[in-house]
């Protein structure tokens, strides 16, 4: 498997080290302590040397970008998996409700990445495009099956998710988010024939 840093595939031990660094950063992001650590501290958390950290990620931003790319890739993979295992409307609903679980479980990660990724517009654009493609596929399949309105765009669905996620700090967020997602899903259904 090739690394983001170059075209050469990584050796198995280098891949493990890189994955350990990304996992350590992700855990720190989730806890909301990314800015409390010196960059070199990530090496110790991952059980690797400082040279290994800098060989894979020369800057804090490069490490954040790897975490971001991994998160987006995982979510897009989940959308594809749901699409091949569930009927279209169920796949879309499961993905959207799963996004609420993800937002709730990883709000520290999302907040940290949002701050750091502002300095990497190309990675942000690439991630947004990958997510929009995944949601577009789910929305298109559900519309083609007649399970949702034909005039729904993936962009509208993404906007609803962003809005729900942005309100995460509200007291009782999850209950309200679940209720709002029910409204979104109800609103996606085609109108009953008259």
């Amino acid at each position: 498997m090739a690394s983001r840093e170059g075209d050469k595939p990584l050796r198995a031990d280098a891949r493990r080290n890189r994955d350990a660094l990304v996992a350590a950063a992700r855990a720190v992001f989730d806890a909301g302590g990314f800015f409390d650590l010196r960059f070199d501290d990530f090496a110790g958390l991952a059980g690797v040397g400082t040279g290994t950290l800098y060989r894979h990620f020369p800057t804090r931003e490069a490490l954040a970008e790897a975490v971001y790319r991994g998160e987006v890739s995982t979510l897009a993979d989940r959308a594809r998996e749901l699409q091949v295992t569930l009927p279209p409307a169920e796949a879309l609903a499961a993905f959207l409700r799963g996004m609420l679980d993800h937002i709730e479980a990883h709000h520290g990660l999302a907040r940290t990445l949002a701050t750091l990724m502002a300095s990497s517009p190309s990675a942000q654009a690439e991630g947004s495009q990958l997510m929009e493609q995944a949601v577009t596929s789910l929305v298109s399949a559900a519309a083609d099956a007649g399970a949702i309105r034909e005039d729904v765009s993936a962009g509208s669905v993404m906007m609803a998710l962003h809005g729900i996620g942005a309100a995460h700090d509200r007291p009782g967020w999850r209950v309200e988010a679940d209720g709002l997602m029910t409204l979104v899903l109800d609103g996606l259904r085609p109108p009953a024939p008259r």
Side-chain angles (χ1 to χ4, degrees):
M1 180 179 221
S3 72
R4 290 300 293 186
E5 298 89 41
D7 295 331
K8 270 181 23 182
L10 292 175
R11 295 183 332 257
D13 60 331
R15 167 63 49 199
R16 279 190 302 276
N17 289 340
R18 185 182 190 286
D19 291 346
L21 287 161
V22 171
R26 188 180 187 281
V28 171
F29 286 13
D30 268 345
F34 185 74
F35 298 106
D36 299 333
L37 293 178
R38 293 179 312 118
F39 185 53
D40 290 358
D41 292 340
F42 286 97
L45 291 172
V48 302
T50 306
T52 299
L53 168 65
Y54 284 96
R55 190 168 32 260
H56 289 288
F57 304 108
T59 65
R60 183 180 295 261
E61 291 74 19
L63 180 56
E65 188 174 316
V67 173
Y68 173 74
R69 288 180 191 279
E71 283 301 298
V72 170
S73 179
T74 297
L75 293 170
D77 289 346
R78 178 70 178 141
R80 284 189 288 275
E81 176 187 314
L82 289 168
Q83 197 165 0
V84 298
T85 58
L86 294 174
E90 290 178 37
L92 178 60
F95 180 77
L96 294 177
R97 292 205 182 273
M99 286 298 296
L100 297 184
D101 294 337
H102 186 81
I103 292 166
E104 183 175 39
H106 305 293
H107 66 278
L109 172 70
R111 187 175 294 124
T112 304
L113 286 176
T115 301
L116 285 165
M117 293 311 295
S119 65
S120 184
S122 64
Q124 246 184 341
E126 182 183 313
S128 294
Q129 183 179 15
L130 186 60
M131 281 301 297
E132 188 140 352
Q133 287 170 348
V135 173
T136 296
S137 186
L138 289 165
V139 167
S140 295
D144 290 347
I148 67 168
R149 299 162 42 139
E150 292 180 1
D151 61 343
V152 173
S153 71
S156 298
V157 173
M158 294 293 291
M159 190 182 300
L161 279 173
H162 286 298
I164 292 170
H168 186 273
D169 291 333
R170 286 178 53 86
W173 172 83
R174 184 55 196 255
V175 172
E176 289 183 345
D178 285 332
L180 186 53
M181 186 54 69
T182 298
L183 287 174
V184 168
L185 292 168
D186 286 348
L188 292 175
R189 289 192 187 95
R194 293 183 176 177

